[in-house]
Amino acid sequence: MVAKKMGYNENPVVIVVSPLVALTEDQVKEATEMGITAMQLGVHDEVDITSSRCQLLFGSPESWLLNKKWRDMLGSDVFQANVIGIIVDEVHLTYKWGRTGPSVSPAPRYSSEEGG
């Protein structure tokens, strides 16, 4: 809403990357109750999403990265013109995203002596 009032974009969109589907569903519901148009990849109408008809667009890291349709959408002229920000929710989990199975280990920690 602020971006529209400041004249930045016709249809400003903020992308929210979140690995927690239940949290995303709650956030979409709350935003909608506040009068903000919020949608979720794979849940809401694809035409509405791809034509940038929302102010907040939620999706999991896997949805954004592993689905060619959504990757292509991010590079489209419509989204390039309208995305005003990207938020990564639960960023402390990014080192785990894309990993599966029991072999997942924590991110390496470096001491100051190792230059990390």
Side-chain angles (χ1 to χ4, degrees):
M1 288 186 279
V2 173
K4 269 187 179 178
K5 288 183 180 184
M6 294 177 70
Y8 282 115
N9 300 81
E10 182 66 28
N11 297 311
V13 177
V14 174
I15 292 174
V16 182
V17 181
S18 176
L20 306 172
V21 174
L23 179 61
T24 297
E25 290 169 351
D26 288 345
Q27 290 173 335
V28 168
K29 181 181 173 189
E30 286 183 36
T32 302
E33 289 171 357
M34 292 174 27
I36 299 168
T37 307
M39 297 181 187
Q40 184 178 353
L41 298 181
V43 174
H44 291 87
D45 184 64
E46 188 174 321
V47 172
D48 287 340
I49 291 172
T50 57
S51 61
S52 185
R53 293 185 185 154
C54 58
Q55 295 165 307
L56 291 174
L57 181 55
F58 293 83
S60 70
E62 295 83 5
S63 294
W64 288 112
L65 299 175
L66 300 179
N67 190 317
K68 184 178 178 346
K69 160 179 55 183
W70 303 129
R71 284 194 322 267
D72 289 349
M73 180 188 69
L74 288 174
S76 72
D77 290 341
V78 170
F79 268 75
Q80 292 293 309
N82 291 307
V83 171
I84 61 169
I86 299 174
I87 298 169
V88 179
D89 194 8
E90 299 295 328
V91 74
H92 66 280
L93 296 174
T94 56
Y95 75 91
K96 291 183 182 180
W97 293 353
R99 295 182 180 182
T100 59
S103 63
V104 174
S105 59
R109 298 196 184 269
Y110 300 98
S111 70
S112 59
E113 295 168 3
E114 294 173 314

